[in-house]
Amino acid sequence: MIGKRDRTVPVGLAPMAGFTDKIFRLMCAEGGADFCVTEMVSAAALCYRDEKTPALAARRWGEAPCAVQIFGHDPAQMAAAAGIILDEICPGDEMGSPPAAIEINMGCPVKKIVKGGDGSALMRDMKLAGDVTRAVSDVTEKHGVPLWVKIRAGWDKNSVNAPEFGKMLCACGASRITVHGRTRDQMYAPSSDNGVIRRVREAADPSVEVFGNGDVASGEDAARMVEETGCDGILVGRAALCDPWIFGEIKNVLRGGGEPFLPAKEDRIGAALRLLRELCREKGEAVGVREARARVGHLIRGIRGSAAARWAVNRAGTEAEFEKILTDLLK
Ligand SMILES: Cc1cc2nc3c(=O)[nH]c(=O)nc-3n(C[C@H](O)[C@H](O)[C@H](O)COP(=O)(O)O)c2cc1C
């Protein structure tokens, strides 16, 4: 057995663009997440002073410790973006404290991102990835803030380079490496490979944390990942979108004891209503309703009548109409 079950393994929310905003992060913190990561934030947009971008990096009161994730590929621009977050955005948000870390996104597989040389495209250019990491590390170190990097197994099955890439990141100043056990080519299928996470753990400097990510949807999945990889912590992505209470359940299994919280229909509809109301309050009714359409579907999935409700909310033009569709599910 590789994993050490007697140690405490933190369980956090993985970054998900369009989902892990401060509203959802607070819900996950209440559901037991030990830490969270923001949606990915464009370094270029921060540096060009795009007006809407800083809100993506801002935290709210009550959240779990939260890292701010940035993407880009220009070392100077990435360093400048980290400086803007640490000097301006985080000191001025509701938490007012430094973030848990700055995280560099070297895992995003989306065409629009890799086409520009960002996200997982950096895994094809070890030299540039090292330069980016070192440049950001210079800034985070000055602020006394940890630097995390999130990677994939590699670009494709012929270039699975996460172990040597991870080693390089350790030498360039990363204090945590999160590994999603799929290549860029695999996107989200087939299943994530715990073996590559283990190989990164074995290759990385022992003082650097290696966190595992990919397909954890239960306490048993998490326990298997810890045992098979020896990872120091776990991130949960898609499973949390349907179940923000999953963190408590996973921690119960990993740490033993305690009854898992199994959300009832009322809890899930309550969470959907809360998300809708907070999105409308934060972004105005029109944008809030539009964004909620794509997001509450996950929370109500599996509830009797939810398929029809998901269809109906696409036609709901107001918050009140949307709310009625959700509350009708309680009947
Ligand atoms: C809708 C969506 C958006 C995502 N956005 C990001 C992102 O902004 N940054 C990032 O590093 N990974 C992103 N990911 C990848 C997740 O963080 C995670 O690595 C992946 O979903 C695998 O974990 P899971 O099997 O627990 O979902 C995203 C995934 C999804 C499904």
Side-chain angles (χ1 to χ4, degrees):
M1 184 163 91
I2 296 163
K4 291 160 261 174
R5 289 287 291 279
D6 55 340
R7 67 203 159 101
T8 301
V9 175
V11 184
L13 174 68
M16 285 177 284
F19 290 93
T20 59
D21 60 4
K22 57 189 177 183
I23 301 169
F24 190 67
R25 295 197 305 265
L26 180 59
M27 289 166 63
C28 290
E30 291 168 2
D34 292 316
F35 67 94
C36 295
V37 185
T38 64
E39 311 174 62
M40 59 179 177
V41 181
S42 160
L46 282 175
C47 292
Y48 293 136
R49 299 287 171 182
D50 172 70
E51 275 178 18
K52 290 190 175 154
T53 302
L56 296 173
R59 301 149 306 154
R60 74 186 290 183
W61 186 247
E63 276 194 48
C66 179
V68 180
Q69 190 188 69
I70 52 175
F71 72 94
H73 66 275
D74 178 73
Q77 192 172 64
M78 289 287 276
I84 291 171
I85 291 163
L86 297 174
D87 289 328
E88 301 173 28
I89 300 175
C90 287
D93 69 12
E94 278 182 36
M95 297 284 258
S97 55
I102 295 289
E103 178 169 272
I104 305 175
N105 179 329
M106 297 196 187
C108 181
V110 174
K111 211 179 240 166
K112 189 174 80 184
I113 300 293
V114 297
K115 209 171 64 193
D118 305 334
S120 57
L122 282 166
M123 292 199 72
R124 303 173 94 180
D125 190 340
M126 191 96 104
K127 158 88 175 61
L128 181 59
D131 289 347
V132 166
T133 307
R134 233 178 278 107
V136 178
S137 165
D138 285 346
V139 177
T140 53
E141 204 173 299
K142 263 188 221 129
H143 286 77
V145 168
L147 172 60
W148 302 348
V149 184
K150 184 160 176 282
I151 65 173
R152 281 190 169 235
W155 179 260
D156 60 20
K157 68 178 193 310
N158 299 316
S159 56
V160 174
N161 61 348
E164 56 269 37
F165 197 86
K167 219 168 161 171
M168 174 279 290
L169 294 172
C170 298
C172 293
S175 60
R176 177 184 298 178
I177 302 165
T178 296
V179 188
H180 175 193
R182 289 190 177 89
T183 62
R184 185 269 167 179
D185 264 15
Q186 291 174 325
M187 303 293 277
Y188 291 97
S191 51
S192 182
D193 173 17
N194 281 344
V196 74
I197 301 171
R198 186 190 71 236
R199 294 200 299 281
V200 177
R201 179 58 287 175
E202 287 166 353
D205 187 299
S207 69
V208 171
E209 298 172 316
V210 173
F211 276 40
N213 168 237
D215 294 348
V216 174
S218 67
E220 286 67 34
D221 292 339
R224 193 178 322 110
M225 182 178 271
V226 174
E227 287 197 9
E228 291 181 0
T229 69
C231 65
D232 304 290
I234 284 183
L235 283 93
V236 180
R238 290 163 298 169
L241 299 178
C242 313
D243 182 1
W245 301 274
I246 194 172
F247 303 94
E249 181 205 326
I250 289 175
K251 281 156 56 173
N252 271 333
V253 173
L254 289 180
R255 296 171 196 177
E259 278 296 304
F261 175 71
L262 295 174
K265 177 168 106 169
E266 290 74 17
D267 298 308
R268 301 175 63 199
I269 294 168
L273 283 165
R274 179 177 171 189
L275 190 59
L276 167 69
R277 289 175 188 144
E278 295 216 27
L279 280 169
C280 289
R281 198 177 60 203
E282 180 92 10
K283 305 192 172 187
E285 188 174 29
V287 178
V289 164
R290 199 171 60 232
E291 283 197 15
R293 282 183 192 138
R295 294 175 58 177
V296 302
H298 292 284
L299 290 166
I300 61 174
R301 183 174 300 159
I303 293 174
R304 199 155 52 85
S306 64
R310 282 209 304 273
W311 183 84
V313 296
N314 284 328
R315 277 155 188 78
T318 64
E319 185 180 352
E321 283 167 22
F322 203 132
E323 268 204 44
K324 176 152 187 343
I325 294 163
L326 292 176
T327 47
D328 281 351
L329 284 174
L330 287 166
K331 290 175 190 159

